[in-house]
Amino acid sequence: MNNFSHVQMGVDYYPEHWDRSLWVEDAQKMKEVGVKVIRVGEFAWSRFEPKEGLFDFKWLDDAIALFHDQGIQVVIGTPTHTPPRWLTEKCPDILPIQANGQPNHAGVRGHRCFNSESMDSYGSRIVAQLTQHYKDHPAVIGWQTDNEFSLTYCHCESCNARFREWLQNKYSSLEQVNQEWGTVVWSGEYNSWSQVTTPIGGSPFQNPSYQLDYYRFQSHSANIFQQRQIDIIRHNCPQHFITHNFHSYPQKLDLYPLGENLDVAAFDYYPNTSPNKTTTGPYSGALSLDITRGIKRRNFWIMEQLSGPPGCWMPMWRTPYPGFIRAYIWQAISRGADTVVQFRWRSANIGAEQFWHGLIDHSNIPGRRFEEFTKVCAEVNALSSTLAGTVLRNDIAILHSHDQLVALDIQPQSEGLDYYENIKCWHRTVTKLGLGVDVLNWMEHLSDYKIIIAPSLYLMDPAVATNLASFAEAGGTIIFTHRTGVKNMNNVCLMEPLPGLLSACAGVEVEEYDPIGNDPHHMVTADDISYSCSQWCDILKPTTAETLAWYADDFYAGKSAVTVNSHGRGKVYYLGTHVDESYMKVLIEELVEAHDLMIFPELPEGVQVSVRVRDSQSFLFILNLSREFQRIPLDSSYESVLYPGIKHPNTLTLEPYGVEILNMHNNH
Ligand code: GAL
Ligand code: ZN
């Protein structure tokens, strides 16, 4: 298979949007600045198949030939995100049906039901034709399936039929469905399979077990849809890699099964350019990158990266500040991106996305942003072989779960309790200490790690409970929080003390709880320091655990809020409340010391570090993702790999959006 792990730059290119005379110029200029790869094709179905059964790849052949002449490689996106009008007119069953019974229409995009039979046959045919045509093309190296999968919330006949089949597969009988979902409530019992439909009407107050299964079914539908394409691509193009461009987390779509049969995951990265987001943006961005790396537990691609002010879907955001584009490209690489593909070469002068700006403005005169991009291309190309094969190795993991996200959204637990926002808090705390962290599917093997942070594992799978308990027994440290072990996997409350299956390993039981939401509350530690807490208070009764903090307010003042239990050779923390980030920091610092991990204790706000390693070599990336000059204390003197010849004594000063990459060995 073609190697997909080069550290290199690319651009998204839409030859069908431009006059042919521009193709040559564009290809030459790309070569000149050092672009190595383009992505094309993902919306071009009406050009690939202008009429039913009439296929035309000549135009793309011509375009690709020009890029190939310049030594530029090509990834092709399958065009199934945008079925052409002749097709949706002929086969309206392709159009997803909304909860109110109305179809989506052609003209925007994503107007295709994953379960439509017409979509299956026409979609498979265009993918087969494309892959047949390009299987031996020397410039083509890989494929992107569709574009930015998300749930369709479709209620068409076919989705209804497939949903029933999916349920019949999961449950042994309709009686079992009634039993597991608890449909007796509000006389919701089903007497025949024909009564089981998708949640038409879309009320959020329908049975929560049913709603969760509908979400799972939809994720499964996306998966089957993608798998058909993967099978065709593998069959026709066994030497090409396959990826998908995931986007904007959190997604209700389950990323992990979709990633399973891809060779590499990709992410579309649009960090927020607003000056008001400078304190949160770099951290939520870092989390997205870490989630993407976790999809396949390896390096990934950025398939679209911010190149100018985005707009059209909303009023335009601010233009990227000088250095922003470059710094965020390096941030992506520092957290495991190998290829970074910029969206897009030139801003569209036609169509709905005219103001989602590319590297070059409508005028086609390369400006400030293009100059910055040119600089990064040169830097990335200069370091490409140095960084080749380097990966991240972390001792801490945060568990992330689509099931928890969806279930907690179906039944919001208290004001302000947001599953993904809570993950962000933990991730930000760890990142601010300069610690690397992996973010993984909660069902993954964990033995590579020392510390696991597991916010709100609300639904509990007995196999995961066992896995977590053995992780602790073997010497690992786990942090559990409020709303853990509440339900079984069918979204039904357990009739046992919380945290349910984890009570024994946490050494604690929840006596009662108080969904405090945003009402101010506090807890106090043994050294008499008070921290604010919010969202929720589990009033804890330690069985074997020791108390680390006590509530300070309300009728439960003096009761345990935070505990730690020795379990086997490890330690299990239980945080009954959403603790303030300052307490998260204190806790992580303690754990880091116990596990002897390296931190950067005085990292200024907005500065991020991460390390890519290969054999005995390690490269320390330091990024100033802020608009101020920042000074970063270093534990010794290091040599720069980004600016050869420069050595930094015990401190490093970075300009706004400045970047440095240091060689952590040969440092004296
Ligand atoms: C992505 C999408 C691109 C483009 C871009 C800007 O979500 O994949 O096709 O639309 O955003 O909106
Ligand atoms: Zn459908």
Side-chain angles (χ1 to χ4, degrees), residues 421-422 425-426 482 532-537 575-581 584:
E421 286 297 324
N422 289 354
C425 292
W426 284 103
H482 58 304
S532 60
C533 57
S534 61
Q535 300 181 3
W536 194 271
C537 293
L575 279 51
T577 180
H578 182 67
V579 299
D580 188 74
E581 274 182 58
M584 289 183 185

Short mmCIF file of all heavy atoms in Angstrom, two decimals, residues 421-422 425-426 482 532-537 575-581 584:
data_model
loop_
_atom_site.label_atom_id
_atom_site.label_comp_id
_atom_site.label_asym_id
_atom_site.label_seq_id
_atom_site.Cartn_x
_atom_site.Cartn_y
_atom_site.Cartn_z
N GLU A 421 -18.22 18.95 27.44
CA GLU A 421 -17.57 20.09 28.10
C GLU A 421 -16.75 19.61 29.29
O GLU A 421 -15.68 20.15 29.58
CB GLU A 421 -18.61 21.13 28.55
CG GLU A 421 -19.21 21.94 27.41
CD GLU A 421 -18.19 22.80 26.64
OE1 GLU A 421 -17.25 23.33 27.26
OE2 GLU A 421 -18.33 22.91 25.40
N ASN A 422 -17.25 18.61 30.00
CA ASN A 422 -16.49 18.08 31.14
C ASN A 422 -15.20 17.40 30.66
O ASN A 422 -14.15 17.54 31.29
CB ASN A 422 -17.35 17.11 31.95
CG ASN A 422 -18.44 17.84 32.74
OD1 ASN A 422 -18.47 19.07 32.76
ND2 ASN A 422 -19.31 17.10 33.38
N CYS A 425 -12.74 20.07 30.12
CA CYS A 425 -12.09 20.58 31.34
C CYS A 425 -10.91 19.71 31.74
O CYS A 425 -9.83 20.22 32.06
CB CYS A 425 -13.07 20.60 32.51
SG CYS A 425 -14.38 21.77 32.33
N TRP A 426 -11.12 18.41 31.75
CA TRP A 426 -10.03 17.50 32.14
C TRP A 426 -8.88 17.59 31.14
O TRP A 426 -7.71 17.66 31.52
CB TRP A 426 -10.54 16.06 32.23
CG TRP A 426 -11.33 15.83 33.48
CD1 TRP A 426 -12.68 15.75 33.59
CD2 TRP A 426 -10.80 15.68 34.81
NE1 TRP A 426 -13.04 15.56 34.90
CE2 TRP A 426 -11.90 15.51 35.66
CE3 TRP A 426 -9.51 15.69 35.34
CZ2 TRP A 426 -11.75 15.33 37.04
CZ3 TRP A 426 -9.36 15.51 36.71
CH2 TRP A 426 -10.47 15.34 37.55
N HIS A 482 -18.87 11.96 39.18
CA HIS A 482 -20.33 11.90 39.30
C HIS A 482 -20.94 11.33 38.03
O HIS A 482 -20.41 11.48 36.95
CB HIS A 482 -20.87 13.29 39.59
CG HIS A 482 -20.54 14.35 38.55
ND1 HIS A 482 -19.25 14.65 38.18
CD2 HIS A 482 -21.34 15.15 37.81
CE1 HIS A 482 -19.27 15.59 37.26
NE2 HIS A 482 -20.52 15.92 37.01
N SER A 532 -14.57 25.60 44.68
CA SER A 532 -15.97 25.58 44.27
C SER A 532 -16.24 24.32 43.44
O SER A 532 -15.32 23.72 42.88
CB SER A 532 -16.31 26.84 43.48
OG SER A 532 -15.49 26.90 42.35
N CYS A 533 -17.49 23.92 43.43
CA CYS A 533 -17.89 22.75 42.64
C CYS A 533 -19.28 23.01 42.08
O CYS A 533 -19.98 23.91 42.55
CB CYS A 533 -17.83 21.48 43.47
SG CYS A 533 -18.83 21.48 44.96
N SER A 534 -19.68 22.27 41.08
CA SER A 534 -20.95 22.57 40.41
C SER A 534 -21.56 21.32 39.81
O SER A 534 -21.04 20.21 39.96
CB SER A 534 -20.71 23.62 39.32
OG SER A 534 -19.81 23.10 38.37
N GLN A 535 -22.68 21.50 39.13
CA GLN A 535 -23.41 20.47 38.39
C GLN A 535 -24.16 19.47 39.27
O GLN A 535 -25.35 19.25 39.14
CB GLN A 535 -22.48 19.69 37.43
CG GLN A 535 -21.82 20.54 36.39
CD GLN A 535 -20.93 19.77 35.44
OE1 GLN A 535 -20.82 18.55 35.51
NE2 GLN A 535 -20.25 20.49 34.57
N TRP A 536 -23.43 18.87 40.20
CA TRP A 536 -23.96 17.68 40.84
C TRP A 536 -23.24 17.44 42.17
O TRP A 536 -22.04 17.69 42.26
CB TRP A 536 -23.66 16.48 39.92
CG TRP A 536 -24.40 15.24 40.25
CD1 TRP A 536 -24.00 14.26 41.11
CD2 TRP A 536 -25.66 14.84 39.76
NE1 TRP A 536 -24.93 13.27 41.17
CE2 TRP A 536 -25.98 13.62 40.35
CE3 TRP A 536 -26.59 15.42 38.86
CZ2 TRP A 536 -27.17 12.94 40.08
CZ3 TRP A 536 -27.76 14.75 38.59
CH2 TRP A 536 -28.04 13.52 39.20
N CYS A 537 -23.94 16.93 43.18
CA CYS A 537 -23.26 16.47 44.39
C CYS A 537 -23.72 15.06 44.73
O CYS A 537 -24.89 14.87 45.10
CB CYS A 537 -23.56 17.38 45.58
SG CYS A 537 -22.89 19.03 45.42
N LEU A 575 -14.87 11.27 42.28
CA LEU A 575 -15.22 12.68 42.49
C LEU A 575 -16.73 12.80 42.36
O LEU A 575 -17.27 12.67 41.26
CB LEU A 575 -14.52 13.55 41.45
CG LEU A 575 -13.05 13.93 41.69
CD1 LEU A 575 -12.17 12.73 42.01
CD2 LEU A 575 -12.48 14.69 40.51
N GLY A 576 -17.40 13.03 43.48
CA GLY A 576 -18.85 13.04 43.47
C GLY A 576 -19.46 14.30 42.88
O GLY A 576 -20.67 14.41 42.74
N THR A 577 -18.62 15.24 42.53
CA THR A 577 -19.11 16.53 42.05
C THR A 577 -18.21 17.01 40.92
O THR A 577 -17.10 16.50 40.76
CB THR A 577 -19.12 17.55 43.23
OG1 THR A 577 -19.59 18.80 42.76
CG2 THR A 577 -17.74 17.72 43.85
N HIS A 578 -18.70 17.97 40.14
CA HIS A 578 -17.84 18.54 39.11
C HIS A 578 -16.91 19.54 39.78
O HIS A 578 -17.32 20.65 40.12
CB HIS A 578 -18.66 19.22 38.02
CG HIS A 578 -17.81 19.77 36.92
ND1 HIS A 578 -17.09 18.97 36.06
CD2 HIS A 578 -17.52 21.04 36.57
CE1 HIS A 578 -16.41 19.72 35.21
NE2 HIS A 578 -16.64 20.98 35.50
N VAL A 579 -15.67 19.13 39.97
CA VAL A 579 -14.73 19.96 40.73
C VAL A 579 -14.20 21.09 39.86
O VAL A 579 -14.16 20.97 38.63
CB VAL A 579 -13.55 19.12 41.28
CG1 VAL A 579 -14.06 18.05 42.23
CG2 VAL A 579 -12.72 18.50 40.15
N ASP A 580 -13.83 22.15 40.50
CA ASP A 580 -13.25 23.30 39.81
C ASP A 580 -11.93 22.88 39.15
O ASP A 580 -11.23 21.99 39.62
CB ASP A 580 -12.99 24.38 40.87
CG ASP A 580 -12.57 25.68 40.23
OD1 ASP A 580 -13.45 26.34 39.67
OD2 ASP A 580 -11.36 26.01 40.27
N GLU A 581 -11.59 23.58 38.04
CA GLU A 581 -10.35 23.22 37.34
C GLU A 581 -9.10 23.37 38.21
O GLU A 581 -8.11 22.66 38.02
CB GLU A 581 -10.20 24.04 36.05
CG GLU A 581 -10.94 23.37 34.90
CD GLU A 581 -10.81 24.11 33.56
OE1 GLU A 581 -9.68 24.31 33.08
OE2 GLU A 581 -11.86 24.48 33.03
N MET A 584 -8.83 20.09 39.85
CA MET A 584 -8.36 19.09 38.88
C MET A 584 -6.83 19.17 38.75
O MET A 584 -6.13 18.17 38.72
CB MET A 584 -8.96 19.35 37.48
CG MET A 584 -10.43 19.04 37.38
SD MET A 584 -11.00 19.32 35.69
CE MET A 584 -12.77 19.04 35.93
#
